[in-house]
Structure formats: C-alpha cells, structure tokens
Amino acid sequence: MRPTFVKSLLIALIVLPLIGVIPTTWTWNPRLLDTLTTTVLMIAAVTLLNHLIGYAAGKAIAFRTGRLIRLMELLISLPLFLPVLLLSFGLYLTWIRLGLADQFLGVLLVLLLPTLPYTIRIYTNGFQALGEQMMEQMILIQPNRFKRFFFLTGPMMRSSLQSVTLLVTVIALSQYALVALIGGGVVRMIALEAFPLYTGNSLVAAKEATIWLIALPFLIYFVQLMVFSSWVRLVRRLLDGRNDPARNEDIWKEKGVTRH
C-alpha cells in the first residue's frame, strides 16, 4: 500500500467521525463552566500523581529482576486484566466507609486504577531505553536528584513525560462509569455532562460538551509542547554558561575590554 493512501485513510478515520459533532449553532451552557473547572482540576491532579508514582515505580522496576519484581509488575498490571468497573464496586463500598464516596479525592484516587499501570510501563520502558550505565553516569555528574532531573533525566525522558500526560488526560476524560459510580453525580466531569445530553433532546448542548472533550487533549498537548521546548532551551543556555558572570567576565577580558 502506498504511504499516501495510508495517510489519507488515517486522516479520514480521524476527521470524518468528528464532523458529526460540530454544532451548527453555539449556545453556552452555564453548567459546562463548573464542569469544565472540575475536569481540568481532576486531570491536573491525576496527571501529577501519575508522574510522581509512575516515575518512582518505573525507576525501581527498570533495572531489577527477581520474583518480587515480577510479582510487583503483575499486581501493578492487575487493573489491565480485570474490568476496572468490577474493581470499583469493591472500592465503592470501601470509599463509603472511609467517607471518600461522592468526593473529589475519592474520584481522584479511583482514576489511578485505569491510568497508573500504563504510566509505570511507560516510565519503565523509558528508563530501560536510557540504560543503567547512563543513569549511573548522571549520578556521578550531578549527585543532587532535583538538579539531576532538571538538567539531565527530565530532558532525556521528554517523550515519556509527554506520553504520560497525554495518555492520562485521554483516559481520565473518557471515564464515565467510574466517575458516575464513585462521584455519585456530585463530582461532575465533561463525560458525565455529555452522556445525559445525548440520551435526551439537548443535541446542541451535547455537541458543545463533546467539543470540549476533543479540545482539552489538544490544548494540553500544545501547552506541554511549549513548556518542554522552553525547558530544553533553558537547560541548554544554563549548560552553555551564558548566564555565568565569571565566564562572561573572562570572555570580555580575552577581548581586551574592561567593564565597569
């Protein structure tokens, strides 16, 4: 098959389904504002927890072997083999006893079930791609773990960081049953707003909610592109020593210029 035909086919499969959700008229639904705020806060919190937990777990698993590590990988991947909704029924009863049902924190924790296994796998593969020798060299270059992440590990694992952010965003946005069960209709996200509108007669409002479901991943993707590009440029400037006063003074002296 020709590459042009394959590209055209992929574009058609992606674009054509989106044409039907474009609203002919736009009437702002006031309920969407609160729902959108909750959705963005939820995505930010879930993404942050995924990065913190997935980074540590992926680094711990990447360069170790043994029965304990294999058991950990199996337990971490368990939500991928079992229906998440099945696990959430048991969690729902536990959440009621703990007072986390119908709460933002309860929904936040349950959204880790369908997202964290993918995050840990992405980070594990990212660290394995870097290699254990590279990680040891980075420790020798910069013992401080925060500076090491800012100058070395973070920029080198940029693709893993971006993949985790985008994947968690898409999965969290698409969870209707989990949010409806644990949130109890109190914690409302865009998916909970769109589904009842489609089953009712508010087709225009449903399309508006769907537009936000499509737009949020794109917005987050482009925002993180700008953030990571700025991060890499800043690291390059700092490593080049352009902001080092002593180095700049030596350069001026070599040129024979006295600065006052």
Side-chain angles (χ1 to χ4, degrees):
M1 298 178 68
R2 295 183 178 181
T4 305
F5 175 76
V6 175
K7 292 178 182 178
S8 302
L9 182 60
L10 290 175
I11 292 173
L13 291 174
I14 295 172
V15 174
L16 289 179
L18 301 181
I19 295 177
V21 300
I22 298 176
T24 55
T25 58
W26 188 276
T27 56
W28 177 256
N29 186 355
R31 292 184 60 182
L32 279 178
L33 182 60
D34 294 334
T35 306
L36 187 62
T37 304
T38 305
T39 302
V40 172
L41 291 175
M42 185 68 70
I43 290 173
V46 173
T47 304
L48 179 61
L49 284 179
N50 269 271
H51 279 299
L52 293 176
I53 301 173
Y55 183 92
K59 187 177 180 181
I61 294 173
F63 307 118
R64 297 180 183 177
T65 58
R67 294 181 179 179
L68 181 60
I69 296 299
R70 289 197 295 269
L71 179 61
M72 289 178 57
E73 289 181 328
L74 178 61
L75 293 176
I76 291 169
S77 303
L78 195 60
L80 302 179
F81 298 105
L82 296 176
V84 177
L85 190 60
L86 178 64
L87 298 175
S88 64
F89 287 139
L91 283 176
Y92 179 63
L93 300 176
T94 306
W95 264 214
I96 291 176
R97 297 189 186 98
L98 296 176
L100 294 175
D102 304 340
Q103 299 291 329
F104 183 92
L105 180 60
V107 177
L108 169 62
L109 294 177
V110 82
L111 284 178
L112 293 176
L113 283 177
T115 56
L116 196 56
Y118 295 104
T119 300
I120 294 175
R121 177 54 59 190
I122 290 173
Y123 272 118
T124 301
N125 294 338
F127 280 113
Q128 288 176 346
L130 281 180
E132 190 172 6
Q133 292 184 350
M134 177 65 72
M135 296 298 298
E136 292 175 353
Q137 290 177 7
M138 287 192 290
I139 294 174
L140 293 175
I141 294 172
Q142 180 53 257
N144 188 292
R145 65 179 59 187
F146 298 105
K147 291 182 179 180
R148 184 167 67 247
F149 176 80
F150 180 80
F151 286 102
L152 300 171
T153 314
M156 295 182 72
M157 295 190 64
R158 173 180 175 178
S159 58
S160 298
L161 293 168
Q162 290 177 316
S163 299
V164 167
T165 301
L166 188 59
L167 184 67
V168 170
T169 300
V170 174
I171 294 177
L173 281 174
S174 62
Q175 294 300 319
Y176 172 80
L178 283 180
V179 178
L181 178 64
I182 304 299
V186 178
V187 182
R188 300 193 63 83
M189 295 179 65
I190 293 292
L192 267 69
E193 193 71 26
F195 185 77
L197 292 174
Y198 272 110
T199 57
N201 297 322
S202 305
L203 192 58
V204 175
K207 289 183 177 181
E208 292 176 9
T210 307
I211 291 296
W212 282 110
L213 281 172
I214 299 170
L216 279 176
F218 280 99
L219 289 174
I220 292 174
Y221 176 75
F222 287 114
V223 167
Q224 72 169 355
L225 272 183
M226 292 187 292
V227 170
F228 280 109
S229 299
S230 303
W231 182 6
V232 172
R233 286 197 299 267
L234 176 61
V235 169
R236 286 176 177 173
R237 285 202 302 268
L238 293 175
L239 292 179
D240 287 342
R242 296 175 185 176
N243 297 328
D244 188 355
R247 180 180 182 275
N248 293 336
E249 191 67 29
D250 292 338
I251 294 174
W252 284 109
K253 288 180 179 179
E254 290 178 1
K255 294 181 178 180
V257 178
T258 304
R259 301 175 64 195
H260 299 283

